[in-house]
Amino acid sequence: MMKYTFILKYQLADHDCNPVALVERLGEAGFDDALVGIGQPGRLAQELTCEASDADEAVRSALACVRRTVPSARLIEVAPDLVGLTDVAKEGGGFRVQCPRSWKPWLDERRSRPEADAHLTRH
């Protein structure tokens, strides 16, 4: 197992953007050691350190937990480039997010080796 540190950024729905309530819900969901950013109205950012067997697992686990805790939040960015656009889009419900150029080699490798993603399942 390795530790992965990354940031998830979300756009919040108008009806679900009370910062105090969000921080409380995230803490109750197990994000009590995450650094939560709520300074931008309508946005939520989390810096997380997760222990997992690989970066995909770390990010997917955090995304699934946030989706259960704040279902109206829309993922807009994952940083740094630990996982690819396709993986983030799958976990985020199929929407597209901005893809940094540095993701291209990783995405190309995944496209050329579909068996590399055979272990990934959608929750």
Side-chain angles (χ1 to χ4, degrees):
M1 297 285 242
M2 291 184 59
K3 288 187 177 182
Y4 297 91
T5 300
F6 51 94
I7 298 170
L8 303 176
K9 294 183 182 179
Y10 292 89
Q11 177 70 45
L12 300 171
D14 291 338
H15 68 277
D16 196 15
C17 62
N18 178 323
V20 174
L22 285 171
V23 171
E24 285 180 18
R25 286 167 39 201
L26 291 167
E28 290 170 2
F31 289 109
D32 51 348
D33 61 345
L35 178 60
V36 179
I38 54 174
Q40 238 182 343
R43 297 282 178 100
L44 169 71
Q46 291 181 286
E47 182 178 59
L48 306 159
T49 299
C50 296
E51 193 169 316
S53 59
D54 59 32
D56 286 342
E57 179 186 331
V59 173
R60 284 176 174 272
S61 173
L63 289 171
C65 191
V66 172
R67 189 173 52 237
R68 285 189 304 271
T69 307
V70 189
S72 63
R74 184 176 62 89
L75 182 69
I76 56 174
E77 185 179 343
V78 177
D81 304 336
L82 295 175
V83 298
L85 174 64
T86 303
D87 294 319
V88 173
K90 283 181 194 173
E91 201 59 36
F95 58 85
R96 305 287 293 186
V97 295
Q98 184 175 358
C99 179
R101 288 176 196 236
S102 58
W103 285 9
K104 186 167 179 1
W106 189 90
L107 291 171
D108 290 344
E109 178 188 352
R110 290 294 208 207
R111 285 188 197 108
S112 67
R113 293 185 29 229
E115 69 280 1
D117 289 334
H119 69 285
L120 301 175
T121 59
R122 187 177 172 120
H123 300 285

